[in-house]
Amino acid sequence: MKLWQKKCKLNKEIEKFTVGNDYLLDKKLVKYDCVASIAHAKMLNKIGVLKKKECSKLIKTLNQIIKLDSKGKFLIKQEDEDCHTAIENYLIKKLGKTGKKIHTARSRNDQILTALRLYCKEESKSTFGLIDKLINQLILFKGKYGKTEMPGYTHMRKAMPSSVGLWTESFIESMNDNKKLLVNATKLLDQSPLGTGAGYGLPLKANRKLTAKLLGFKKIQKNPIYVQNSRGKFEASLLNALNQIMFDLNKMSSDLILFSMEELGYFELAKEICTGSSIMPHKKNPDVLEVLRAKYHQCLSYEFQLKTVISNLPSGYNRDLQLTKEPLIKTIEITKESLKIIKLLLGKVKVNEQNCQKKITKEMYSVKELHELVKKGDSFRDAYSKISEEGFYVAGKNK
Amino acid sequence: MKLWQKKCKLNKEIEKFTVGNDYLLDKKLVKYDCVASIAHAKMLNKIGVLKKKECSKLIKTLNQIIKLDSKGKFLIKQEDEDCHTAIENYLIKKLGKTGKKIHTARSRNDQILTALRLYCKEESKSTFGLIDKLINQLILFKGKYGKTEMPGYTHMRKAMPSSVGLWTESFIESMNDNKKLLVNATKLLDQSPLGTGAGYGLPLKANRKLTAKLLGFKKIQKNPIYVQNSRGKFEASLLNALNQIMFDLNKMSSDLILFSMEELGYFELAKEICTGSSIMPHKKNPDVLEVLRAKYHQCLSYEFQLKTVISNLPSGYNRDLQLTKEPLIKTIEITKESLKIIKLLLGKVKVNEQNCQKKITKEMYSVKELHELVKKGDSFRDAYSKISEEGFYVAGKNK
Amino acid sequence: MKLWQKKCKLNKEIEKFTVGNDYLLDKKLVKYDCVASIAHAKMLNKIGVLKKKECSKLIKTLNQIIKLDSKGKFLIKQEDEDCHTAIENYLIKKLGKTGKKIHTARSRNDQILTALRLYCKEESKSTFGLIDKLINQLILFKGKYGKTEMPGYTHMRKAMPSSVGLWTESFIESMNDNKKLLVNATKLLDQSPLGTGAGYGLPLKANRKLTAKLLGFKKIQKNPIYVQNSRGKFEASLLNALNQIMFDLNKMSSDLILFSMEELGYFELAKEICTGSSIMPHKKNPDVLEVLRAKYHQCLSYEFQLKTVISNLPSGYNRDLQLTKEPLIKTIEITKESLKIIKLLLGKVKVNEQNCQKKITKEMYSVKELHELVKKGDSFRDAYSKISEEGFYVAGKNK
Amino acid sequence: MKLWQKKCKLNKEIEKFTVGNDYLLDKKLVKYDCVASIAHAKMLNKIGVLKKKECSKLIKTLNQIIKLDSKGKFLIKQEDEDCHTAIENYLIKKLGKTGKKIHTARSRNDQILTALRLYCKEESKSTFGLIDKLINQLILFKGKYGKTEMPGYTHMRKAMPSSVGLWTESFIESMNDNKKLLVNATKLLDQSPLGTGAGYGLPLKANRKLTAKLLGFKKIQKNPIYVQNSRGKFEASLLNALNQIMFDLNKMSSDLILFSMEELGYFELAKEICTGSSIMPHKKNPDVLEVLRAKYHQCLSYEFQLKTVISNLPSGYNRDLQLTKEPLIKTIEITKESLKIIKLLLGKVKVNEQNCQKKITKEMYSVKELHELVKKGDSFRDAYSKISEEGFYVAGKNK
């Protein structure tokens, strides 16, 4: 039974195709859709559409659904299409006519946006928390190994002396910036779409400020067409922020893979995080880091899916927008999982201090040597020339 | 139990992360991995590694797995990592020491490539068949409505008279080209990787030509490093070909949505393929076409995931390549599903001949009128000028 | 003459290839690099590297370059590689030994980042101004046509009555959000990278706070490795913000193309913004809107390029980062140009009030009718059923 | 003067915006557009539209343009919009009324497609030639260093012994496959679009087979709508093929950068192909390889642009298609340039045979050792277990 059920039934294969995996993805949204419906019910009561008793019954039953869902016991069937239908059907089954009133003054178009934004806000908060945990792990790592000097690279060639501390801090500072990015991206989503109907307002005067307040939204998003047009647009900025996190993990993984090569030997990965080969008994492979590195590309492709699927469409809801749900949910899930994994990993990385020190070779002090000549009166560019032999520097030549 | 199991166990969360959804995706590959193992066993027997009896036992048990799998009863557990491990474990459980011999002279690196290519070849063939079915449907459609004239558009503005037949034929010709694209993309995949081990050959002399022949590969892919480096590369061309199909469906959907707008009214969609609105009782929406249109972007993002995940990596297997599996399998699945749906859909599209005819307005014959002046002796460019009023054409002015 | 010139000369073709179009793109950066060098010179004077007189000379000559550049007379040759080299060469040519001192305590790695960020900050500000101009134009448009009712669409099917004002406001509200996005994206860039050298600090104690203050940066970006790793990362968020603007223009163009189709006829485009056909004298095409629509994809692909080119690289500067410059500069240029064009365009769009009104057909009031039944006591879902005939609504049936 | 010039002039800024950089890109197409016009003129003569003398004059003047263009002296002004207009204007200026006849029975829509395909075919051929040159260089390299053993890597960890020859052959085999890809992708483009007009045929009976034959096309592309819809689609497959070449160069660059790290030291880059640092006199950086690596992403983003810009559009020409030209031309240019550079580079790479040999450490023979146990009667999996110590192999333990 669909919300828009007609006497003429939808072709079964067409139904399956249009629903896609929405009924599975929507598991993430059941809670938020119920929370939004509770606020909606309260508002309907306030404006006289629902009696107090009806409102209480709806709230009670919606809370039941939340509880069922938290135990994984609230099912969304493929015929239900989505969580909205499954929930309305449940309400009607339990409450009869009262259940049939919940959809007054709203459309699925504003309803799904409300649930998605509540979901995004909560997920953003928990991602923030995971970044903090990673930062703490980085601080621990720095505390343990920070003072160890190691070669610093440019162009994958030894450049100047660096240190494990400097390397670690670079990710701490970046992760702190990521938190700001995340907060800013979430601000956009912190606008209530509820009460704008299908995109062209409603014939009933819904109290939009009330529902916005009940749901903890900073403000209402006023224009109903804009509400629909912002589907995908707002999520795009969230995905951009998440992909900055993923980019940092891509780089951290690239570093850890390179620095733990036997030939460099700065870092060592504990056996329990390495995998083996099906044919080469000696192998100790950093698979987890490689998968982590690759996940950036996966998330990036989700971002581009979202950003292209919404293109070249006229204003107002178009069903294409349904395909923004998977990239959004998947990117959030992957980012959170990746943050947990890198934190766990870092606890199992050791620094080989001997190798780090040994590999800082003399030529890496060329900048220091050059600036000593500067202090003695040479101009920078003359000192640079002087210090080079046939154009390429030989360590200590000018001492 | 993994193929590379060590005494020191892999951290559980790391394991879960690196396995990802591989154990689910690999369901598609069980059959092909068994078929490849049967060929491998025959070859091992030929070169003296397996006794005849051992070989028969292995083949028999592998066929059992194929049967189990066809009934959905062969399970791959997350701890198994992938189908290769699940299958080897099953063989060892059933056959003891004989099972332990199957992995001689191969690595998972060449094994997975073999299974994937057999899978791709078969899927390519069945996609080819689905294109043919769509072409047949298009021919039927043309037979029914082909002669009806309708406006032809450029820049979404009426241009010249066209016909339903011309429109339909455009997709038939394109689908015929898509078949060639598909065949060519599959040629690349028709090279046997089996027998190249982990990417640097094997200490045993495997008879690569034999396994290639048994598996129906056109040729062997010689260089073992190239075998590994072609993971993703070969699939990329297949995805490009599939996305040309999806592009055509994207355009056909765009046309059908536009042409079935009430304001144009050339095509009509049967009720049973339209969906309704949760709030607007009068709506009859072309959701299925919108989802179809959006799927092009989904598949395109998979292609770009595949093409970027393999970038900036040195030669030889890197675990990043695991993430080429999902985009490959998903794109194949979506393309096949979409071809089925559009075929079904077309059977439920009617042409409104009256509207088609009515909307062919006089100015659309401007090119004809112009060329009539040309026939009477005007140069093309003079005729063009003559026929315009203040630069913009008025129909019939020069008659 | 390059900054790093060796006796052994770089192969000419290699040089050409690595320089690419950098020497052309860098025209945009000359001013900013000079401004940054002036601040750097002041700082070098403060810490005793430059004498007061040397400092004044450098500042004077750098200001000369800025002046030359503003007249398009400062040339960067291909052999110069980039603006940094061209400027240093000019200083040395004019000032001899004093010119040779300017590069003390800095590397091109932190220098280019400084110039780019100053450039981004200024461009962001001017983009902000262009958004404001577009908003003003939208307000004018709304003032003129806002009250006209027109059909509102979902799924490219008539949904509910809307108005030109509602449509216009949707873009005003969105553009206001875009301003916030832009401001937030620019915050990230408002950190001074100057004084971090090649990515591993400097043997001289540069006064980073001083240069940051002189250049108007909000804060310094502390960690030198992070400074290098943020190349591309910071720009990514700016491109995301710009692409939100481009997305809105993509939608506005899609709307204008659709709404100005003869078959709908809500909007009319002035002749002077329409182009013709080489063969069809009657055509009046909305090319400019189509190009505008397409530009979103161009900018999106630049964002994609920037976000992938920086992937899978270890920490520290890698020359791959050079290829972030073009996507950055091009996206900024295109966005600004597009904002100007759409503003200009809107001034030449008329609303056909008669067509707008005429096309609001009765069934579009189904939601209103439904809610009237609700007011009379029906539950929402019962009213929904009642109002439908065989599942599909017939206007006025229940009145 | 435009082909479609009206009395009402196009707004200057709109004109500039819609033309974009087309008038610059079209330099590449002048020759092909003239060649196509010559064939068109011959056909017009055949069907009686042009007299023999008119035809000869047109051919003569078109050949003049080809000559001028080969010397860089045929100009396309911004007001001309594109090469087609510039050429027709030239013909009219020189030949008066005869020039005004050239556009009979064609539209710019089929004209541009013809020029682009002739261009693609020729560029594809010259790319093929460049691949062959690279293969020859690789063969030389193999001849010189092929027998040197070096470590083979998986997961960026030493795996098994490999050789410089094996590495080199992997790219030779891949480049040979790339040639096939290129040939196949070009087949699609080898269909003549000329004579289909604006997308809906022509009121004159053009002899399409004649022009196709004169221009060397394998066949004609029949359906005029399909001709327009294949703009972008056909190029997409060419870009996919070119990007397979770029992918190989990306990998070769990644290998060369890694293998020439001092810490591995297998390969050495000649000084003349390395660049230096502005601040670190000792640096010898592989910039050219890094830029080459990055170019893959640039080309990939062009492919992405082309594949998305054509999406969600209805059948028939839409001006969005103009934006397929730049990605096409740029990708071709970059691929050709990159092939030349890598060939040049390879001639300046030395193999350090001592380092190669030295780094093949004992554990890399684990697979060999394992298979020796297999030969002695152990099953593969038992041998694997036996050879491991605490799960991780210690070289020679079981000897």
Side-chain angles (χ1 to χ4, degrees), chain C residues 337 340-341 344, chain D residues 10-18:
Chain C
E337 197 190 7
K340 283 180 205 161
I341 282 294
L344 185 150
Chain D
L10 184 63
N11 177 292
K12 274 286 155 200
E13 289 178 69
I14 299 282
E15 180 184 55
K16 207 183 135 208
F17 182 77
T18 50

Side-chain angles (χ1 to χ4, degrees), chain A residues 3-4 6-8 49 88 92 97 100-101 103-106 109 152-156 159-162 166-167 169-171 173-174 177-178 180-181 184 187-188 191 198-201 203-204 219-226 229 233-234 236-237 240 244 247-248 250-251 254-255 258 293 296-297 300 303-304 307-308 310-319 367-368 371 374-375 377-382 384 390-392, chain C residues 3-8 49 88 92 97 100-101 103-106 109 152-156 159-162 166-167 169-171 173-174 177-178 180-181 184 187-188 191 198-201 203-204 219-226 229 233-234 236-237 240 244 247-248 250-251 254-255 258 293 296-297 300 303-304 307-308 310-319 367-368 371 374-375 377-382 384 390-392:
Chain A
L3 297 187
W4 49 271
K6 314 283 180 188
K7 283 182 198 154
C8 157
V49 171
E88 186 171 325
I92 292 173
K97 197 180 167 184
K100 289 180 176 179
K101 293 185 173 178
H103 207 61
T104 319
R106 82 174 177 197
N109 288 358
Y153 287 79
T154 65
H155 305 264
M156 287 179 72
M160 288 168 63
S162 176
L166 205 68
W167 180 82
E169 274 165 0
S170 76
F171 289 103
E173 196 173 341
S174 191
D177 274 351
N178 290 336
K180 287 176 209 155
L181 270 172
N184 282 331
K187 268 183 202 161
L188 209 55
Q191 311 188 37
Y200 301 97
L204 270 187
K219 52 177 275 197
I220 62 163
Q221 189 178 6
K222 269 179 79 175
N223 186 284
I225 300 179
Y226 178 41
N229 290 353
K233 179 186 162 89
F234 284 6
S237 287
N240 174 67
Q244 298 314 311
F247 169 68
D248 285 359
N250 176 279
K251 190 165 284 301
S254 299
D255 281 349
L258 185 67
R293 180 171 61 185
Y296 173 60
H297 299 285
L300 209 52
E303 185 182 342
F304 280 90
K307 285 180 170 178
T308 56
I310 58 179
S311 70
N312 291 15
L313 299 175
S315 282
Y317 181 79
N318 297 284
R319 183 70 176 261
V367 180
K368 203 177 164 198
H371 279 86
V374 166
K375 281 176 200 162
D378 275 336
S379 77
F380 177 89
R381 200 52 68 202
D382 286 337
Y384 184 104
E390 298 213 20
F392 284 103
Chain C
L3 297 187
W4 49 269
Q5 195 68 55
K6 315 284 181 186
K7 282 180 197 156
C8 156
V49 171
E88 186 170 326
I92 292 172
K97 196 180 168 183
K100 290 182 177 180
K101 291 183 174 177
H103 208 60
T104 319
R106 82 174 176 197
N109 288 357
Y153 287 79
T154 64
H155 304 264
M156 288 179 71
M160 288 168 65
S162 177
L166 205 67
W167 180 82
E169 275 165 359
S170 78
F171 289 103
E173 195 173 340
S174 191
D177 274 350
N178 289 336
K180 287 176 211 155
L181 268 172
N184 282 330
K187 267 182 202 161
L188 209 57
Q191 312 188 37
Y200 302 97
L204 270 187
K219 51 177 274 195
I220 62 163
Q221 188 178 6
K222 269 179 81 174
N223 185 284
I225 300 178
Y226 178 42
N229 291 354
K233 178 186 163 90
F234 284 7
S237 286
N240 173 67
Q244 298 315 311
F247 169 68
D248 285 358
N250 176 279
K251 190 166 285 301
S254 299
D255 281 348
L258 184 68
R293 179 171 60 185
Y296 172 61
H297 299 284
L300 209 52
E303 185 183 339
F304 178 76
K307 286 181 170 177
T308 55
I310 60 178
S311 69
N312 291 16
L313 298 175
S315 282
Y317 181 78
N318 297 283
R319 184 70 177 262
V367 179
K368 206 178 160 198
H371 279 85
V374 165
K375 281 175 201 160
D378 275 335
S379 77
F380 178 89
R381 200 51 67 203
D382 285 337
Y384 185 103
E390 300 214 19
F392 283 102

Side-chain angles (χ1 to χ4, degrees), chain B residues 128 131 173-187 241, chain D residues 184 187-188 191 219:
Chain B
F128 194 98
I131 296 177
E173 194 173 341
S174 191
M175 282 294 157
N176 277 315
D177 274 351
N178 290 336
K179 290 199 289 183
K180 288 177 210 154
L181 269 173
L182 201 55
V183 167
N184 282 331
T186 313
K187 268 183 203 162
Chain D
N184 282 330
K187 268 181 202 163
L188 208 56
Q191 312 188 36
K219 53 177 271 195

Side-chain angles (χ1 to χ4, degrees), chain B residues 3 6 88 153 155 173 177-178 200 223 226 233 240 250 255 296 303 307 312 315 317 381 391, chain D residues 3 6 88 153 155 173 177-178 200 223 226 233 240 250 255 296 303 307 312 315 317 381 391:
Chain B
L3 298 186
K6 314 286 180 183
E88 185 169 327
Y153 287 79
H155 304 264
E173 194 173 341
D177 274 351
N178 290 336
Y200 301 97
N223 185 284
Y226 179 42
K233 179 187 163 91
N240 174 66
N250 175 279
D255 281 349
Y296 173 60
E303 184 182 342
K307 285 180 170 176
N312 291 16
S315 282
Y317 181 79
R381 200 51 67 202
Chain D
L3 298 187
K6 315 284 179 184
E88 185 170 327
Y153 286 80
H155 305 265
E173 194 173 342
D177 274 350
N178 290 336
Y200 301 97
N223 185 282
Y226 179 41
K233 179 186 162 90
N240 174 67
N250 176 280
D255 281 348
Y296 172 60
E303 185 183 341
K307 286 181 170 177
N312 292 15
S315 281
Y317 180 78
R381 201 50 69 202

Side-chain angles (χ1 to χ4, degrees), chain A residues 11-29:
Chain A
N11 177 291
K12 274 286 156 199
E13 287 177 71
I14 299 282
E15 179 183 56
K16 204 182 139 209
F17 182 76
T18 51
V19 170
N21 61 350
D22 240 37
Y23 71 107
L24 297 172
L25 293 169
D26 271 18
K27 282 181 192 170
K28 298 273 173 205
L29 303 177

Side-chain angles (χ1 to χ4, degrees), chain C residues 111-239:
Chain C
Q111 195 183 350
I112 176 59
L113 273 162
T114 309
L116 279 170
R117 290 191 188 168
L118 292 173
Y119 162 75
C120 285
K121 282 175 64 181
E122 189 145 317
E123 292 296 327
S124 176
K125 211 188 291 174
S126 77
T127 307
F128 194 98
L130 290 168
I131 297 177
D132 267 339
K133 281 185 183 162
L134 173 57
I135 291 175
N136 287 338
Q137 188 69 43
L138 285 161
I139 291 169
L140 279 177
F141 190 79
K142 191 188 143 192
K144 212 164 170 183
Y145 301 113
K147 284 178 186 159
T148 307
E149 289 208 302
M150 66 179 285
Y153 287 79
T154 64
H155 304 264
M156 288 179 71
R157 299 291 176 263
K158 288 191 206 166
M160 288 168 65
S162 177
S163 74
V164 176
L166 205 67
W167 180 82
T168 316
E169 275 165 359
S170 78
F171 289 103
I172 295 173
E173 195 173 340
S174 191
M175 282 294 159
N176 277 316
D177 274 350
N178 289 336
K179 291 200 290 182
K180 287 176 211 155
L181 268 172
L182 202 54
V183 167
N184 282 330
T186 314
K187 267 182 202 161
L188 209 57
L189 288 150
D190 204 3
Q191 312 188 37
S192 176
L194 198 59
T196 53
Y200 302 97
L202 291 161
L204 270 187
K205 224 178 154 67
N207 187 337
R208 297 192 58 201
K209 281 193 185 161
L210 177 60
T211 47
K213 201 184 146 193
L214 288 169
L215 294 168
F217 283 111
K218 269 268 164 64
K219 51 177 274 195
I220 62 163
Q221 188 178 6
K222 269 179 81 174
N223 185 284
I225 300 178
Y226 178 42
V227 167
Q228 291 310 311
N229 291 354
S230 65
R231 176 98 187 259
K233 178 186 163 90
F234 284 7
E235 290 92 325
S237 286
L238 181 59
L239 292 205

Side-chain angles (χ1 to χ4, degrees), chain D residues 320-382:
Chain D
D320 314 63
L321 299 180
Q322 181 183 332
L323 269 84
T324 60
K325 214 188 261 182
E326 186 174 14
L328 174 70
I329 292 177
K330 287 280 173 72
T331 306
I332 289 173
E333 294 288 298
I334 295 171
T335 307
K336 286 174 63 183
E337 196 190 6
S338 299
L339 280 166
K340 283 179 205 160
I341 282 295
I342 196 85
K343 180 198 163 296
L344 185 152
L345 255 166
L346 263 180
K348 296 177 188 305
V349 171
K350 275 188 195 163
V351 171
N352 184 321
E353 309 194 13
Q354 222 176 348
N355 276 341
C356 283
Q357 195 54 51
K358 203 174 61 188
K359 294 278 170 89
I360 301 183
T361 37
K362 277 189 262 174
E363 80 283 5
M364 298 178 74
Y365 293 100
S366 68
V367 180
K368 203 176 162 199
E369 206 173 327
L370 189 165
H371 279 86
E372 272 159 23
L373 293 179
V374 166
K375 282 176 200 161
K376 286 176 193 155
D378 275 334
S379 77
F380 178 89
R381 201 50 69 202
D382 285 338

